[in-house]
Amino acid sequence: MNPSITLLTLLEQASGDFVSGEEISRKLNVSRTAVWKQIRKLEAEGYVIEAVPRLGYRLTGRPSRLSLRELLPKLTTRSFGRHVKLYEEVGSTQDVLRELAEEGAPEGTLVIAECQTQGRGRMGRSWLSPPGKGVWMSLLLRPQVPLPLTPQLTLLAAVALCRAIGRLVPLRIGIKWPNDLLVNSRKISGILLESAAEDERLRYVAVGIGVSANLDEEDYPEELRDKAVSLKMASGRPVDRTGLIAAAMEEFERLYDLYREEGFAPIRALWEAHSVTLGRPAVLRTPQGPVEGVPESLDDSGGLRVRLHDGSVRTVYSAELPAT
Ligand code: BTN
């Protein structure tokens, strides 16, 4: 038996046609009863398999739930997502990842959950993470960059995710500084970077990524309905969450490699190309009070350079911007 051939690959290779039980049992070198048991196992995982006497079996549906069986063959990366843990429910994937990081997990480790009960966002807010509808995940980075440059990774994450979503969904996605992804001024995704440092040295970064993929209007509380939207609601079609995770890992790894080789300049250029913040007058709510002006560009560490009305430039490192 060829160990790389599984029942699922045989059914997939048939592209929706029937494969006879006899052919399956011959190719897998197992009994017909064993084939039937494997069919039941796949069905229990959410695959829909039609069985017709004398014709055999054919695959007519795939699980809507996330599974490593679906994800792993789709990964094209070297390390990102290769160490991966998938949970049904966690408090926050950030906390699970941090524990793994403290135990020495390698760069690229990914924690995914179908549901978060304590999902958190930036600025101490909570993050809506209902079961089975979104992509709630955390990625571990162990970058060799000086602590003050960590915000560069925030921007890198936004570009990577923007490109990944753009590959799957035909929507115009804009990045609001630093890393909110918007469609028609409504938020579809958020990124939360949490870092651990020691003696001014960055030990690791947990990149928390939330994509509201397949939420329906009724999933959102009233107060979020005009501010947030899911990819499914915006595009009219459900999104393949597994494909999205795989695309995100690929884009992330590619940009991270570029960043390590060439520094922040190419990332900055990509971020600026996707930005819906630059060039638009805004009132930024900073911890030091409101700043009114026109965001012009990014500085070398990822801060936002804002041209004030008196012509001077102020760089902002933490702020809440209006949706544009
Ligand atoms: C934001 O406020 O825009 C950031 C939201 C980040 C949400 C993600 S979901 C996966 C990860 N786990 C969390 O608790 N938060 C992040």
Side-chain angles (χ1 to χ4, degrees):
M1 176 186 163
N2 179 347
S4 67
I5 295 189
T6 63
L7 173 56
L8 186 59
T9 40
L10 284 179
L11 294 172
E12 282 169 341
Q13 281 163 2
S15 312
D17 282 343
F18 283 98
V19 191
S20 73
E22 190 271 324
E23 182 182 341
I24 297 173
S25 83
R26 185 167 38 80
K27 288 198 168 149
L28 298 184
N29 195 20
V30 295
S31 70
R32 298 285 292 269
T33 316
V35 170
W36 183 78
K37 277 192 187 152
Q38 286 188 34
I39 294 276
R40 299 309 299 265
K41 192 158 167 259
L42 286 176
E43 284 176 339
E45 287 177 29
Y47 293 89
V48 185
I49 296 165
E50 188 182 355
V52 175
R54 282 189 296 281
L55 284 177
Y57 303 97
R58 70 171 174 165
L59 185 63
T60 58
R62 310 189 76 91
S64 60
R65 289 156 50 90
L66 295 171
S67 77
L68 296 186
R69 193 201 279 281
E70 286 277 298
L71 176 62
L72 294 175
K74 289 202 167 120
L75 284 180
T76 53
T77 47
R78 204 178 49 248
S79 65
F80 281 29
R82 293 282 167 186
H83 284 83
V84 54
K85 286 194 175 268
L86 170 63
Y87 296 88
E88 194 56 39
E89 182 181 296
V90 296
S92 160
T93 53
Q94 289 292 88
D95 295 334
V96 179
L97 187 74
R98 291 181 82 130
E99 271 180 36
L100 294 173
E102 294 296 341
E103 289 164 10
E107 180 159 82
T109 297
L110 182 66
V111 171
I112 311 169
E114 279 285 14
C115 165
Q116 296 185 117
T117 53
Q118 305 282 324
R120 56 178 179 267
R122 290 173 56 232
M123 314 238 172
R125 283 190 286 255
S126 63
W127 182 259
L128 180 69
S129 328
K133 299 229 167 172
V135 170
W136 324 127
M137 62 184 183
S138 297
L139 176 71
L140 179 62
L141 302 180
R142 294 190 180 276
Q144 309 271 322
V145 298
L147 198 53
L149 297 187
T150 321
Q152 294 180 343
L153 295 165
T154 303
L155 305 171
L156 185 156
V159 177
L161 198 56
C162 189
R163 286 160 65 114
I165 297 173
R167 275 166 51 175
L168 275 91
V169 190
L171 288 171
R172 231 185 139 70
I173 304 159
I175 307 177
K176 185 181 83 160
W177 187 85
N179 59 9
D180 283 349
L181 301 191
L182 306 183
V183 169
N184 295 332
S185 306
R186 294 206 278 173
K187 185 157 163 170
I188 47 150
S189 168
I191 297 167
L192 173 70
L193 251 80
E194 293 176 329
S195 41
E198 202 174 78
D199 301 331
E200 295 295 299
R201 194 183 65 81
L202 195 53
R203 292 178 51 232
Y204 63 83
V205 177
V207 185
I209 297 170
V211 186
S212 304
N214 293 330
L215 277 76
D216 297 295
E217 176 132 18
E218 54 273 21
D219 292 317
Y220 290 97
E222 196 61 44
E223 65 275 15
L224 282 183
R225 288 195 184 162
D226 59 340
K227 298 192 188 83
V229 72
S230 73
L231 294 174
K232 178 181 162 192
M233 287 160 66
S235 70
R237 271 193 267 139
V239 175
D240 168 16
R241 291 183 299 148
T242 309
L244 184 54
I245 295 170
M249 289 303 102
E250 189 178 321
E251 294 292 343
F252 218 116
E253 188 174 86
R254 190 177 291 157
L255 287 188
Y256 192 61
D257 285 347
L258 180 68
Y259 175 70
R260 281 194 298 200
E261 280 157 25
E262 297 181 27
F264 183 51
I267 308 300
R268 184 201 331 230
L270 288 169
W271 188 95
E272 290 180 351
H274 288 291
S275 154
V276 289
T277 295
L278 301 182
R280 300 190 184 178
V283 181
L284 292 78
R285 282 190 288 145
T286 76
Q288 294 75 37
V291 172
E292 202 173 337
V294 182
E296 267 188 357
S297 59
L298 298 176
D299 81 353
D300 287 341
S301 65
L304 190 61
R305 301 178 76 246
V306 183
R307 176 79 56 184
L308 307 185
H309 295 315
D310 64 5
S312 64
V313 170
R314 176 141 161 214
T315 304
V316 167
Y317 296 97
S318 166
E320 192 59 14
L321 272 77
T324 41

